[in-house]
Amino acid sequence: MSVTPEESDESLARARRLVLAMFSQDRQPSPEEVQTAVTVIFGMLAGQGEVVDRERLAKEIEAMTAVFQEGSSGLESDTGHKPWLPEAKNDREWDFWERYRRYLEDVKNLPPLVVRRLDQSTDEVLSQLEDPRREGSWRRTGLVIGQVQSGKTGQYIGLASKAVDAGYQLVVILAGIHNDLRSQTQLRVDEGLLGFDSQHQQRSNEAGKSSRMGAGRMPGKRLVIASPTNSSEKGDFGRQTASAFNSVHLGHFPVVLVVKKHWKILEHLRNWVTDVQGTEDETGRKVVRDIPLFVIDDEADNATINTKRDPEADPTKTNGAIRELMRSFEKSAYVGYTATPFANIYIDPDVEHATFGSDLFPDSFIRTLPSPSNYLGPERVFGLQVDSDDEDDIAPLPLVRSVDDAESWIPTKHKSSFVPSDSLPESLRESIASFVLASAARRARGQVRVHNSMLVHVTRFTAVQGIVRDQVDDHLRLLVDSLRDRYGQASERMAEFQALWERDFVPTTDHFPVNETEPVTWDEVSSQLLPALRKVVVKTVNGASRDALDYYDHRRNGLSVIAIGGQKLSRGLTLEGLTVSYYLRTSSTYDTLLQMGRWFGYRPGHEDLCRLYTTPDLQAKYVEVTAATDELRREVEEMAALNLTPRDFGLKVRASSLGLTITAPNKMRQGTPVKLSYSGEGPETTLFNFSQRAREHNLKTLEDFVRRLDGFTAGKAEVPGGTVKWSGVPREAVSDFLSGYVTDGVARRVRPRFIAKYIDQCASVGELAEWTVCLIGKSTAKPHDVAGHGVGPVTRTPLNDPGYKTDGRYIIRRVVSPRDEQIGLDPAQVDAARKATRLVAKKKGREKVPESPSGEQLRFKRRPDQALLLIYVIEPKGEEGERQLPLVGFQVNFPLSEHQSDTEYVVNSIWKQEGLDDAFDDEEEGE
């Protein structure tokens, strides 16, 4: 009996579910466990007469169980917040979430660990919102930082599912500024949360209608939920929609709206809900009191930001409309999602407007979402140099191809009336051939009924895009005709494809691990070339085009499309099955460049077939943007490890060396460009790698350094076990010590190798030639021998106590004791620093004027020949009577430099307020 492809896929899906059900939920299975489980299920199904491709089943299970994803991290503020989720886990039904979870596992085939991480990360975000059943007035605002095309939509659909389970009765999803992106998002919400086709019904239990889809087809009880908006291009919320939905009384069941981020739409929405549910307050303003509002802002850095120069003036219309909607509810929660948070960190946290209320600064929490290991992101495409001893640099995958022949076809700068030359550049012709080969290779691998997309992004002008579309379509038809041998060119054309396959695809596939790809022969690929080519259509995607990327309508057999567009393809819109990108459209901002990178995402079973054709200039820009984004993300992770709140989110973003700006200038009204170096700085270690290996390494590095110091000059200690001091130490010895020191991978603000480079650069202009080095000791503590010197270790209470025993990281608030920073200064310098500290405090309106000088002012008073390195031997907090191997920490006191060139950063208002904190610190306990 023959088996249809659909029946074969259903059998494979059933086998996959059964195999995954055999594995433990708290760890990843070993390769041996995978093979055993596959054998058991294969045999069981064979006994029932069900045919399954065992090799394909094993390969899919291996790929799914090999995916790894770290947990999220974040900054949180409990101000005005009451913890509630642990209790709510037991007193509420979580039906929408459980249905969505089963849908992801059984239908979307997400790796089990990814679904578990999604469950965990959505709980972490939900717990920072307020309990929707909580009485009184409350407002929570947060930000979730993901990566471009990494699954943020799936994450917030999971969050929305849990939110409606918890009791949020009105969920508003702000989905971009274009109709097609709003429509695409609504379709995802229909599938994952609503469970019905919103184009055919507004409520899941609507009489006489049943258009179940996605999660709605999962077995289980029917869940009641409604949506006034639908997934058609014109399905947004407006006056007519409001009138048609007025009969529905909010509060009986959850209502979800997916709306465009436009002030007029939001005004309709606010008027509708306040008219139906609002009551007047003492000022006559209508407020909704009994319905908690939950706003999810997708692409929260786009259109949301108030770009007015004066933060006290009326905000921009869309920003004001979002804030006014929030203010119209007594109970409201807002979560922004973005991969490019550059604009969001410059929102002023202290703005309060009489009409619109607070701005959308994420006061309550900021979380980062690490991507799964199977995510093809900027780091893997363009590479990343990591300044950490316990992490390796990330080498770029061999997927980028240089374009240097397109300027004569379409110049970088051109007008809307420009007409490209008739001859397509060779690089574009090759990229189209690569797309055909990639599509054919996927067919040869059994990936037949899947979407295949190619992106051509070369101009922002719709008229020029139309000409490019015609040129590409003509070239495609020529390829089809030649392979059909209409002009006797079949063998010649086939030879060209074969040459490209063997020159490019074969060596690229060889670069990937064998278990991640399925090698196919040229004979297998060539037999699929014409079927793959015939299936391709060419479409323009812009505001003037009637074309649509109708992936959903082609979900059964797959859509193969070459999409030619500009602005609409540069943010939010997903190109399903994107394999080849031809991208020439440059940008001058970090966030726009990253958002234009539609080629990032998930490419299971065909990563090796993906290609990016772009210019060397753009490639260099992406390398720089990747590094800046990684640095920002790691700073958030470090501050999360230090238990800081969003109000402590003093962030700086490294400015470009290639002339890029961080985001649009009008989004950076509250950002300040500053030049930063270590001049006048006091970098200190607060995060330590707690592994035995790291502690042994740093202790040995210190002992070698001390022996070297004793070779220069005898170290002096005033009392046994106390501080040992060396003077006149050459800078080479200090640089070598710092270069050899191992930090924790999360520690980004203190990077010893960067500090060592700075010292060497200063030495080249005659600064920091000699140093004072102090090994700080506590005379009352049992001494620890450091290369012959008995030094009493200091104690520093861990902020993550007792977490460091399991997470391998010891975190403290500060390593330096403020009085130690006075070492090497004469009384006049200390007194001048004290006076300066008091003066600055008074100017800033501090209520408490400090008696002691701040570390910053002490450093400002140091002469260039008074550089100071403070080293601390720290006794970790352990069990009673337990003495563990000590940690080694340091702080560097840099005088102001007159010569050192700086790196420019742009900082937010919180960062600008930092600097006097150490003047108010109490002496560290245990000193």
Side-chain angles (χ1 to χ4, degrees):
M1 186 176 94
S2 63
V3 178
T4 66
E6 289 80 5
E7 290 172 333
S8 177
D9 286 349
E10 288 175 7
S11 296
L12 185 66
R14 180 167 177 245
R16 191 166 49 230
R17 289 194 297 270
L18 291 170
V19 171
L20 292 173
M22 294 181 66
F23 300 137
S24 170
Q25 293 298 301
D26 57 0
R27 63 177 178 82
Q28 290 177 286
S30 67
E32 293 76 19
E33 289 172 322
V34 168
Q35 291 301 325
T36 299
V38 167
T39 299
V40 168
I41 298 303
F42 177 77
M44 183 188 78
L45 294 178
Q48 297 173 359
E50 200 162 345
V51 179
V52 175
D53 185 333
R54 187 195 184 286
E55 186 177 345
R56 186 178 171 190
L57 174 64
K59 199 170 186 64
E60 287 195 12
I61 297 296
E62 285 170 355
M64 292 177 72
T65 55
V67 175
F68 174 76
Q69 185 177 12
E70 295 179 350
S72 68
S73 60
L75 317 178
E76 299 170 354
S77 172
D78 289 331
T79 302
H81 176 60
K82 292 184 179 180
W84 63 281
L85 188 57
E87 191 66 31
K89 284 288 186 180
N90 295 316
D91 67 15
R92 290 165 220 194
E93 301 294 331
W94 298 89
D95 295 328
F96 280 99
W97 162 251
E98 285 302 319
R99 186 177 76 171
Y100 182 58
R101 180 188 60 77
R102 295 198 312 272
Y103 172 66
L104 294 178
E105 291 178 340
D106 297 348
V107 179
K108 304 302 286 184
N109 298 322
L110 260 64
L113 182 61
V114 172
V115 178
R116 291 201 295 274
R117 287 292 189 226
L118 178 64
D119 188 11
Q120 177 187 349
S121 65
T122 48
D123 269 1
E124 288 165 345
V125 175
L126 185 67
S127 69
Q128 286 302 306
L129 305 182
E130 217 55 53
D131 183 353
R133 297 181 181 178
R134 178 181 165 185
E135 296 297 326
S137 176
W138 44 261
R139 181 182 191 263
R140 298 287 284 176
T141 53
L143 179 69
V144 177
I145 303 171
Q147 296 239 42
V148 177
Q149 300 281 93
S150 66
K152 295 187 299 300
T153 305
Q155 211 273 350
Y156 68 65
I157 290 175
L159 176 62
S161 300
K162 289 183 176 181
V164 298
D165 283 327
Y168 280 93
Q169 293 292 297
L170 182 61
V171 178
V172 177
I173 299 174
L174 309 178
I177 60 175
H178 296 297
N179 284 329
D180 50 2
L181 178 54
R182 191 215 65 82
S183 173
Q184 185 184 74
T185 303
Q186 175 87 52
L187 182 58
R188 293 284 302 277
V189 171
D190 289 0
E191 291 177 321
L193 175 55
L194 299 175
F196 61 84
D197 188 339
S198 57
Q199 291 193 39
H200 294 94
Q201 60 190 98
Q202 289 187 319
R203 201 169 66 242
S204 57
N205 62 347
E206 202 167 334
K209 294 183 179 181
S210 181
S211 301
R212 284 193 288 177
M213 63 186 294
R217 291 178 174 169
M218 303 304 295
K221 63 183 177 182
R222 196 74 174 268
L223 305 179
V224 182
I225 192 169
S227 176
T229 57
N230 67 65
S231 61
S232 70
E233 282 280 314
K234 297 181 179 179
D236 209 339
F237 193 84
R239 282 200 183 93
Q240 285 185 321
T241 314
S243 300
F245 213 70
N246 268 343
S247 59
V248 175
H249 186 76
L250 294 175
H252 293 294
F253 46 78
V255 175
V256 179
L257 301 95
V258 182
V259 301
K260 214 166 44 259
K261 206 183 305 186
H262 188 278
W263 67 272
K264 201 69 178 174
I265 300 290
L266 293 168
E267 190 176 85
H268 289 321
L269 172 57
R270 180 175 55 82
N271 289 336
W272 167 69
V273 75
T274 53
D275 286 346
V276 174
Q277 300 285 148
T279 57
E280 289 190 358
D281 64 10
E282 59 278 3
T283 67
R285 186 171 58 92
K286 281 193 172 183
V287 178
V288 179
R289 301 190 185 281
D290 54 347
I291 303 293
L293 168 70
F294 181 29
V295 176
I296 295 174
D297 186 356
D298 194 10
E299 307 293 348
D301 62 312
N302 187 31
T304 298
I305 306 300
N306 178 21
T307 56
K308 289 291 182 68
R309 185 176 298 278
D310 180 5
E312 302 300 327
D314 286 353
T316 46
K317 284 189 172 182
T318 300
N319 173 269
I322 298 171
R323 289 160 63 179
E324 201 168 3
L325 176 66
M326 297 276 292
R327 200 158 180 259
S328 298
F329 285 75
E330 188 178 49
K331 306 171 177 59
S332 63
Y334 167 95
V335 179
Y337 278 78
T338 183
T340 49
F342 304 113
N344 302 83
I345 73 169
Y346 299 124
I347 296 174
D348 191 328
D350 297 317
V351 167
E352 186 68 38
H353 194 282
T355 303
F356 303 99
S358 303
D359 205 345
L360 299 171
F361 179 80
D363 243 327
S364 306
F365 62 91
I366 300 170
R367 298 204 70 83
T368 62
L369 296 177
S371 300
S373 55
N374 62 336
Y375 170 65
L376 185 64
E379 297 86 356
R380 296 182 67 206
V381 175
F382 298 104
L384 179 68
Q385 289 190 333
V386 181
D387 180 54
S388 174
D389 291 294
D390 60 350
E391 291 185 67
D392 295 328
D393 290 347
I394 301 174
L397 292 172
L399 303 178
V400 182
R401 304 291 178 264
S402 289
V403 174
D404 56 10
D405 60 352
E407 192 69 17
S408 59
W409 174 55
I410 296 183
T412 303
K413 293 184 178 180
H414 58 273
K415 296 181 179 180
S416 59
S417 58
F418 177 78
V419 177
S421 63
D422 291 337
S423 178
L424 292 182
E426 176 59 33
S427 57
L428 179 54
R429 292 199 296 269
E430 181 183 299
S431 70
I432 295 170
S434 292
F435 175 59
V436 176
L437 283 169
S439 302
R442 292 192 72 190
R443 294 175 67 91
R445 290 176 178 177
Q447 301 168 23
V448 178
R449 292 187 303 280
V450 295
H451 300 308
N452 287 293
S453 300
M454 177 179 175
L455 164 67
V456 178
H457 191 163
V458 295
T459 177
R460 66 188 177 93
F461 298 116
T462 56
V464 184
Q465 291 167 17
I467 298 171
V468 172
R469 182 227 172 262
D470 292 342
Q471 290 181 338
V472 170
D473 191 61
D474 287 345
H475 181 71
L476 205 63
R477 293 177 187 278
L478 178 63
L479 290 178
V480 172
D481 287 344
S482 60
L483 280 179
R484 293 169 64 188
D485 211 23
R486 290 188 63 180
Y487 308 109
Q489 296 176 330
S491 59
E492 181 182 343
R493 185 70 70 188
M494 193 63 78
E496 291 174 358
F497 275 113
Q498 183 176 1
L500 178 59
W501 173 261
E502 293 175 349
R503 181 184 79 246
D504 190 323
F505 283 81
V506 172
T508 301
T509 297
D510 288 344
H511 181 87
F512 285 74
V514 175
N515 62 343
E516 291 183 11
T517 61
E518 186 178 340
V520 287
T521 65
W522 167 245
D523 287 342
E524 293 171 314
V525 173
S526 62
S527 66
Q528 297 293 337
L529 273 179
L530 194 53
L533 194 51
R534 282 172 168 163
K535 196 175 178 180
V536 179
V537 294
V538 185
K539 295 190 174 188
T540 49
V541 183
N542 55 49
S545 170
R546 299 182 65 128
D547 289 347
L549 297 178
D550 44 356
Y551 293 112
Y552 185 75
D553 293 341
H554 291 80
R555 62 191 180 279
R556 298 194 184 281
N557 296 309
L559 175 68
S560 285
V561 61
I562 298 178
I564 295 160
Q567 192 62 30
K568 280 197 173 185
L569 295 178
S570 66
R571 184 182 277 271
L573 197 66
T574 299
L575 295 168
E576 302 285 352
L578 180 63
T579 50
V580 177
S581 300
Y582 190 84
Y583 175 72
L584 305 180
R585 171 93 180 277
T586 191
S587 173
S588 60
T589 65
Y590 286 1
D591 48 8
T592 303
L593 276 170
L594 279 176
Q595 291 291 349
M596 285 181 174
R598 299 291 96 194
W599 48 83
F600 304 129
Y602 300 94
R603 307 291 184 263
H606 64 283
E607 270 191 356
D608 60 313
L609 305 177
C610 295
R611 297 291 182 271
L612 168 60
Y613 286 79
T614 192
T615 64
D617 174 66
L618 273 166
Q619 190 173 350
K621 287 180 177 179
Y622 272 104
V623 168
E624 189 170 76
V625 171
T626 300
T629 307
D630 182 73
E631 183 173 333
L632 175 64
R633 191 180 306 276
R634 287 175 183 257
E635 284 211 12
V636 175
E637 291 170 358
E638 178 176 348
M639 286 184 283
L642 292 169
N643 290 329
L644 299 180
T645 72
R647 284 273 169 170
D648 303 317
F649 193 62
L651 273 196
K652 58 187 189 297
V653 181
R654 182 193 297 248
S656 168
S657 64
L658 300 176
L660 300 173
T661 56
I662 293 166
T663 186
N666 61 358
K667 294 182 182 179
M668 295 171 59
R669 302 289 195 201
Q670 311 308 315
T672 303
V674 296
K675 294 280 191 177
L676 291 183
S677 73
Y678 289 107
S679 172
E681 294 289 309
E684 61 179 307
T685 49
T686 55
L687 280 79
F688 300 88
N689 187 326
F690 197 66
S691 69
Q692 184 81 2
R693 181 180 175 186
R695 283 183 285 165
E696 288 175 351
H697 174 91
N698 285 338
L699 197 57
K700 182 179 184 305
T701 300
L702 173 59
E703 289 172 340
D704 291 344
F705 182 43
V706 168
R707 292 189 189 95
R708 189 173 177 185
L709 293 176
D710 284 336
F712 298 128
T713 179
K716 298 177 182 179
E718 293 183 3
V719 294
T723 297
V724 185
K725 180 179 176 182
W726 293 267
S727 301
V729 177
R731 61 92 186 166
E732 294 91 347
V734 175
S735 293
D736 290 346
F737 165 71
L738 293 170
S739 297
Y741 183 93
V742 171
T743 61
D744 185 87
V746 171
R748 304 301 292 174
R749 292 190 159 192
V750 178
R751 293 182 276 183
R753 283 189 282 177
F754 278 20
I755 298 172
K757 288 178 184 176
Y758 172 78
I759 293 171
D760 294 341
Q761 289 169 353
C762 285
S764 67
V765 291
E767 294 182 341
L768 307 183
E770 292 190 347
W771 286 68
T772 296
V773 177
C774 291
L775 182 56
I776 304 297
K778 187 170 67 171
S779 60
T780 57
K782 181 180 178 181
H784 185 92
D785 181 75
V786 180
H789 295 275
V791 178
V794 301
T795 57
R796 296 290 185 267
T797 302
L799 295 177
N800 60 334
D801 182 31
Y804 64 88
K805 293 182 179 179
T806 54
D807 68 14
R809 181 176 297 134
Y810 197 94
I811 306 169
I812 63 176
R813 187 164 62 96
R814 297 207 65 190
V815 71
V816 71
S817 180
R819 66 172 178 266
D820 294 339
E821 294 193 85
Q822 300 179 23
I823 294 174
L825 298 178
D826 58 48
Q829 287 174 303
V830 175
D831 187 56
R834 183 182 294 109
K835 289 177 180 177
T837 301
R838 294 171 64 83
L839 181 63
V840 171
K842 287 177 181 178
K843 284 184 177 180
K844 291 197 173 185
R846 304 268 186 168
E847 292 182 9
K848 180 183 175 184
V849 178
E851 293 297 326
S852 301
S854 72
E856 180 181 52
Q857 293 300 329
L858 286 168
R859 293 189 294 274
F860 288 175
K861 297 301 179 283
R862 284 190 180 277
R863 298 190 305 270
D865 62 343
Q866 290 180 311
L868 173 68
L869 172 63
L870 301 169
I871 302 176
Y872 295 82
V873 176
I874 305 166
E875 186 165 43
K877 182 179 179 181
E879 302 296 336
E880 197 67 35
E882 175 188 0
R883 188 158 205 198
Q884 302 184 32
L885 198 66
L887 296 163
V888 176
F890 66 82
Q891 193 239 22
V892 190
N893 253 253
F894 283 111
L896 289 172
S897 169
E898 297 177 2
H899 303 285
Q900 177 57 32
S901 60
D902 307 312
T903 299
E904 184 173 280
Y905 286 77
V906 177
V907 302
N908 64 2
S909 58
I910 298 173
W911 190 96
K912 287 187 289 183
Q913 294 168 14
E914 295 177 351
L916 276 183
D917 53 332
D918 54 357
F920 301 92
D921 286 343
D922 294 324
E923 301 258 333
E924 188 72 44
E925 66 173 309
E927 281 297 328

